[in-house]
């Protein structure tokens, strides 16, 4: 009878592709679980077989007994008739029965059960066949461990792969242990010599000297022939991983600084771009191939060097100490500081070379670092970069990173990060200070002009000449004014977007003074469309009362910079800003707000000198009187600056000499406490403060006060000297500053002469001696006249 095979249908390849990985993993786990359960069942059966074999061996075999004939009823008779006696069995059948009796399977079978063998399920047939084929022997060898490898995927499915784990014998392990013990004993037999502290210090100095000589030799070889010795950069860079704990910190610092100086010297003045596949495939000269290898090696080593510096800073910031590192955690700060210095030097020295933007991304966040030294280093480096950047590429990159940093930190950064914007060179370029901007751009003839004015031969010559001129312009790498203005416009847009975001979302942050100071500097470059909204915001900030004196002064300065530039065309009355400055003047004094006088002088210059046609006579008189009063209770440099501003007032506006006369002009009384300059009746007072300032202890203040008393003449005996008259008030304020605790001009020390000192001492002693002598004479003459006569004879007074 043919049996049906229980076979699964093999899934197609397309179906396997649609099957998810999780499902395949689950199938594989189920398959492995089934295999494990089958193996477990197999081990149980083997155990039963071993027990059965032991029982069979322990018992004595006995011959088969003949069946006794028992006649018990009709049924027993029928059974006896059906059963065949042993005498009637063939010899072959009898031998087969004896053989079966000796087998374990025959012994373990339950003969009392009438259940046929084929009742079991078909799926267990393979297990039985496998069981029958296994040799009957005891499992004396240990089971070998299997290593599961990556499975193989076939049409039939995933086939697991395993490999036996190699197991060393016990004897071999013992031999290896013995060998290691012997080596350890041999090693311990020779202990290291114990060094004294002096010997250890001498050994460290010797090692350090050797490392220094090696660094110097490598650096000099690279600098002498960079093309041939570019591979020595790798050897020098490998010393950044110095493992000797005695000299590791110093050697790494020396290598960092040496590599920085080497790269500054050997880096070319252009950016190295990677070669294309077509360029690599083409054959070139030996010199060109040598140059390519040098450039490729230089860029590669420079990249690895920057990565080492970055990793040093990251390890210090994250306080990570690697197991393989021999440097303590305290030494990481010194290494990080040197790494930051090297990055700052490269930022300023190589703005044109590769990976400059990567250095910017590293340096700019460090401006907000908690360490004051590192933040100042980065701030100074960015400031230098802005000052020397004529084209604007590097400045644009830094401004983009700063804007992203401020926004990413939710405006929680140090004010110095935004103050660095004040050092941008945008204003100078806009004013066309560079000669290359003033030079006219080279123009070439069009094709129609050539066809009209030139012959065929002349056109050929003209074409070749123009081609040569274009190549020369490219070789000079001269940037056009339009390209510069485009870069600077993009930079300013990012700066103003950062400022406006802070004004809109973070008005109470500590960044507001830096924002107002920046707006005061770049306000004349803002688009006219934003003027109205910006002036409203500035006035609301001042009216809120939450600003300090300095911040409110910056608001006023920003507003008048806007109005003095493109804002002239706008019909805006800034009277509220004049009123606020007039009210704020008496809040300034010789203490902490004395430095704000410089901002006040800037404001007065923009508000009166540059807008003199829009200022009324009454307003100018009020400011002149209040500034003269302010000059009495500030430091000398502030008094000099204020009096210089008063001199400009008296020379710019007519009829200012009214305040030099004690007669009143018009009706009303002067109201010094009123905060409205238009209505305080300043024409009815006099500048009596100038007479007090004329007796000031500072000689320059005396000169300015005497000059203003006579009406600030430009010529004659009352005129000032050129060094005072031609310098603006802000410059005089800085020139006579007392920040360094010095007096300008220096005070002549009045020390008495030595001769005069001795003469004074002699006269003092003579007076004391005369007093004592007179007292002694009076006592002696009255009480002891004889002793006095004897004393006169002995002395030289007679």
């Amino acid at each position: 009878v043919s049996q049906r095979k229980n076979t699964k249908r093999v899934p197609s390849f397309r179906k396997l592709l649609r099957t998810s990985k999780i499902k395949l993993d689950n199938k594989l786990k189920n398959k492995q679980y089934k295999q494990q359960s089958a193996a477990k069942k197999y081990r149980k059966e083997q155990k039963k077989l071993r027990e059965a074999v032991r029982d069979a061996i322990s018992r004595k075999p006995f011959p088969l007994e003949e069946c006794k004939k028992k006649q018990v009823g009709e049924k027993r008779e029928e059974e006896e008739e059906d059963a065949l006696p042993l005498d009637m069995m063939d010899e072959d059948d009898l031998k087969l029965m004896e053989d079966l009796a000796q087998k374990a399977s025959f012994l373990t079978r339950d003969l009392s059960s009438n259940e046929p063998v084929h009742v079991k399920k078909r799926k267990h047939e393979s297990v039985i066949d496998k069981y029958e084929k296994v040799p009957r022997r005891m499992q004396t060898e240990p089971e070998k461990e299997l290593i599961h490898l990556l499975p193989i995927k076939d049409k039939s499915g995933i086939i697991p792969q395993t490999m036996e784990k190699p197991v060393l014998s016990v004897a071999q392990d013992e031999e290896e242990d013995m060998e290691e013990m012997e080596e350890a004993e041999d090693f311990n037999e020779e202990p290291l010599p114990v060094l004294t502290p002096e010997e250890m210090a001498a050994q460290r100095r010797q090692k350090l000297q050797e490392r220094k000589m090696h660094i110097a030799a490598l650096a000099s070889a690279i600098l002498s022939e960079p093309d041939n010795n570019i591979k020595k950069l790798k050897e020098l860079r490998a010393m950044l991983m110095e493992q000797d704990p005695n000299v590791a910190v110093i050697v790494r610092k020396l290598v960092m600084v040496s590599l920085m100086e080497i790269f500054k010297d050997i880096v070319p003045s252009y950016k190295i771009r990677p070669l294309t596949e077509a360029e690599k495939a083409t054959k070139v000269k030996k010199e060109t191939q040598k140059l390519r290898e040098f450039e490729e090696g230089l860029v590669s080593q420079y990249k690895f060097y920057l990565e080492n510096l970055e990793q040093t800073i990251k390890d210090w910031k994250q306080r990570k100490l690697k197991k393989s590192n021999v440097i303590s955690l305290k030494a990481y700060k010194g290494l990080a500081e040197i790494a930051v210095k090297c990055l700052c030097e490269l930022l300023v020295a190589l703005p044109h070379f590769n990976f400059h933007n990567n250095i910017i991304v590293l340096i700019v966040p460090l401006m907000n670092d908690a360490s004051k030294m590192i933040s100042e280093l980065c701030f100074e480096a960015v400031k230098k970069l802005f000052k020397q950047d004529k084209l604007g590429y590097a400045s644009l990159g830094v401004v983009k990173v700063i804007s992203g940093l401020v926004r990413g930190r939710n405006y929680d950064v140090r004010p110095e990060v935004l103050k660095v914007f004040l050092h941008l060179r945008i204003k100078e370029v806009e004013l066309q200070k560079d000669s290359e901007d003033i030079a006219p751009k080279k123009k070439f003839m069009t094709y129609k002009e050539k066809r009209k004015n030139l012959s065929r031969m002349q056109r050929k010559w003209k074409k070749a000449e123009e081609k040569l001129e274009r190549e020369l312009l490219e070789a000079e790498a001269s940037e056009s004014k339009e390209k510069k203005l485009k870069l600077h416009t993009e930079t300013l847009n990012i700066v103003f977007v950062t400022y406006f975001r802070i004004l809109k979302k973070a008005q109470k942050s500590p960044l507001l003074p830096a924002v107002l100071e920046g707006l005061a500097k770049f306000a004349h470059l803002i688009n006219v469309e934003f003027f109205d909204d910006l002036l409203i915001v500035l006035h609301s900030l001042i009216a809120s009362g939450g600003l300090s004196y300095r911040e409110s002064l910056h608001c006023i300065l920003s507003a008048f910079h806007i109005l003095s530039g493109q804002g002239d065309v706008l019909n805006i009355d800034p009277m509220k800003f004049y009123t606020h400055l007039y009210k704020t003047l008496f809040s300034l004094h010789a203490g902490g707000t004395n430095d704000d006088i410089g901002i006040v002088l800037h404001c007065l210059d923009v508000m009166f000198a540059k807008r003199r046609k829009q200022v009324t006579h009454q307003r100018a008189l009020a400011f002149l009187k209040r500034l003269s009063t302010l000059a009495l209770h500030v430091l000398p440099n502030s008094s000099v600056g204020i009096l210089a501003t008063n001199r400009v007032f008296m020379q710019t506006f007519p009829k200012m000499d009214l305040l030099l006369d004690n007669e009143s002009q018009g009706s009303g009384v002067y109201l010094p406490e009123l905060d409205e300059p238009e209505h305080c009746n300043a024409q009815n007072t006099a500048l009596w403060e100038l007479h007090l300032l004329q007796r000031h202890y500072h000689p320059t203040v005396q000169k300015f006060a005497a000059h203003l008393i006579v009406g600030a003449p430009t010529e004659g005996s009352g005129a000032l000297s050129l060094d005072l008259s031609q310098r603006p008030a802000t410059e005089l304020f800085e020139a006579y500053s007392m920040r360094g605790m010095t007096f300008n001009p220096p005070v002549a020390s009045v020390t008495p002469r030595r001769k005069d000192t001795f003469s004074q001492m002699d006269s003092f002693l003579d007076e004391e001696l005369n007093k004592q002598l007179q007292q002694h004479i009076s006592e002696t003459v009255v009480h002891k006249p004889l002793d006095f006569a004897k004393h006169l004879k002995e002395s030289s007074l007679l």
Side-chain angles (χ1 to χ4, degrees), residues 145-157:
E145 285 188 70
L146 298 179
I147 300 173
H148 295 278
L149 305 176
L150 291 174
I152 300 172
K153 191 171 184 181
D154 198 358
K155 291 184 178 180
S156 60

Side-chain angles (χ1 to χ4, degrees), residues 429-441:
V429 175
E430 290 289 335
L431 295 177
Q432 298 181 356
K433 288 289 181 70
D434 293 334
S435 59
E436 56 189 17
D437 288 341
I438 301 173
K441 188 178 178 181

Side-chain angles (χ1 to χ4, degrees), residues 415-430:
E416 287 79 7
V417 178
L418 283 184
K419 284 184 178 179
V420 78
F421 287 159
L422 300 175
H423 301 280
L424 287 167
R425 284 196 61 184
I426 295 177
K427 186 176 180 180
E428 287 80 4
V429 175
E430 290 289 335

Side-chain angles (χ1 to χ4, degrees), residues 18-205:
R18 289 198 300 268
T19 308
S20 66
K21 187 178 178 182
I22 299 175
K23 192 173 182 181
L24 290 174
D25 292 342
N26 293 336
K27 285 186 177 181
L28 181 61
K29 288 179 183 178
N30 294 334
K31 189 175 181 181
Q32 291 174 353
Y33 177 72
K34 287 180 181 178
Q35 290 176 355
Q36 291 174 0
S37 60
K40 189 175 181 181
K41 188 176 182 182
Y42 171 69
R43 286 195 295 270
K44 287 183 179 179
E45 290 178 355
Q46 287 288 339
K47 187 177 180 182
K48 286 182 181 181
L49 284 173
R50 286 194 296 272
E51 291 175 356
V53 169
R54 287 194 202 100
D55 293 341
I57 292 173
S58 63
R59 294 179 183 179
K60 265 188 175 183
F62 55 89
L64 294 174
E65 295 180 355
E66 295 180 358
C67 295
K68 295 181 180 181
K69 296 181 182 180
K70 294 182 180 180
Q71 298 178 356
V72 183
E74 296 179 355
K75 291 182 180 180
R76 192 68 178 169
E77 291 177 356
E78 291 176 1
E79 286 180 2
E80 289 178 356
E81 291 175 0
D82 294 338
L84 291 175
L86 293 175
D87 298 337
M88 295 181 66
M89 293 180 67
D90 294 336
E91 294 180 0
D92 296 336
D93 295 337
L94 185 59
K95 190 176 181 180
L96 178 63
M97 292 293 290
E98 289 177 356
D99 293 338
L100 287 172
Q102 300 296 327
K103 290 185 178 180
S105 61
F106 182 77
L107 293 171
T108 57
R109 185 185 303 167
D110 189 5
L111 299 177
S112 63
S113 65
N114 296 326
E115 185 179 357
V117 180
H118 59 79
V119 171
K120 294 182 179 180
K121 293 183 179 180
R122 293 181 182 272
K123 67 179 181 179
H124 291 294
E125 289 178 358
S126 60
V127 178
I128 296 171
D129 295 339
K130 198 180 296 181
Y131 164 73
E132 291 295 337
K133 292 177 183 178
V134 171
R136 271 57 171 174
R137 68 173 183 271
M138 297 292 291
Q139 187 177 359
T140 57
E141 297 178 0
E143 293 184 5
K144 296 183 178 180
E145 285 188 70
L146 298 179
I147 300 173
H148 295 278
L149 305 176
L150 291 174
I152 300 172
K153 191 171 184 181
D154 198 358
K155 291 184 178 180
S156 60
I158 295 174
I159 304 172
Q161 298 292 318
T162 58
M163 184 181 74
E164 293 182 359
K165 186 176 182 180
V167 180
L168 295 173
S169 62
V170 178
Q172 189 176 357
D173 291 340
E174 291 177 356
E175 289 177 2
E176 290 179 359
D177 292 339
M178 290 296 293
E179 289 176 1
E180 290 177 1
M181 290 292 291
E182 290 175 359
E183 290 176 1
E185 289 175 1
D186 295 338
F187 181 77
N188 293 329
E189 287 176 0
E190 298 178 359
L192 292 173
V194 180
L195 300 177
T196 62
E198 292 80 7
E199 291 175 349
M200 291 177 66
Q203 186 179 4
R204 181 177 179 274
R205 284 195 298 269

Side-chain angles (χ1 to χ4, degrees), residues 539-708:
H539 182 257
S540 64
L541 286 172
I542 293 173
S544 65
L547 301 181
S548 63
Y549 301 123
R550 192 177 186 86
E551 293 171 3
S552 61
L553 291 176
H554 279 305
C555 279
I556 296 170
L557 187 58
S558 303
F560 279 98
H561 270 303
I562 291 171
L563 295 174
S564 62
Q566 305 175 33
D568 287 338
V569 297
L570 300 176
N571 188 15
I572 298 175
D573 184 18
M575 183 58 199
K576 46 195 173 184
F577 294 106
Y578 281 101
T579 303
H580 184 74
L581 180 62
Y582 185 78
K583 181 172 59 177
T584 311
L585 284 178
F586 279 164
S587 302
L588 306 173
H589 50 77
T593 56
N594 182 74
D595 291 337
D596 297 338
I597 300 288
I599 309 173
V600 171
L601 297 178
H602 276 290
C603 292
L604 293 171
D605 181 50
V606 179
M607 295 165 69
F608 289 93
K610 295 181 180 179
R611 293 175 58 87
R612 54 182 178 272
K613 294 182 180 179
Q614 288 87 0
V615 177
T616 61
H617 182 251
Q618 213 47 36
R619 193 182 306 172
L621 288 173
F623 270 92
L624 180 61
K625 173 61 179 177
R626 181 156 287 197
L627 286 173
S628 301
T629 309
L630 179 64
L632 292 173
H633 51 87
V634 290
L635 292 180
N637 62 326
S638 302
S639 297
V640 171
I642 290 171
L643 293 177
T645 305
N646 286 350
R647 176 177 177 271
V648 174
F649 271 66
M650 297 181 74
Q651 292 179 350
T652 304
F653 296 96
K655 299 181 181 179
M656 288 289 108
D657 53 352
L658 291 175
L659 301 181
L660 300 177
D661 194 0
N662 57 2
E663 294 182 0
S664 60
Q665 300 288 332
S667 60
V669 180
Y670 174 60
L671 303 173
E673 72 282 356
L674 190 66
D675 292 334
E676 293 292 336
E678 297 284 350
H679 309 289
C680 65
N681 301 321
Q683 73 277 2
N684 294 326
T685 185
L687 296 177
W688 53 265
E689 296 89 356
L690 295 178
H691 292 279
L692 294 177
L693 291 170
Q694 200 172 7
R695 295 191 292 273
H696 199 276
Y697 66 89
H698 199 281
T700 310
V701 178
Q702 295 176 10
K703 292 179 183 178
F704 268 100
H707 173 69
L708 293 177

Side-chain angles (χ1 to χ4, degrees), residues 498-510:
T498 307
Y499 285 164
F500 293 158
R501 279 178 185 160
I502 296 172
L503 284 176
K504 184 178 180 182
K505 298 181 180 180
Q507 290 187 358
K508 295 183 179 180
S509 73

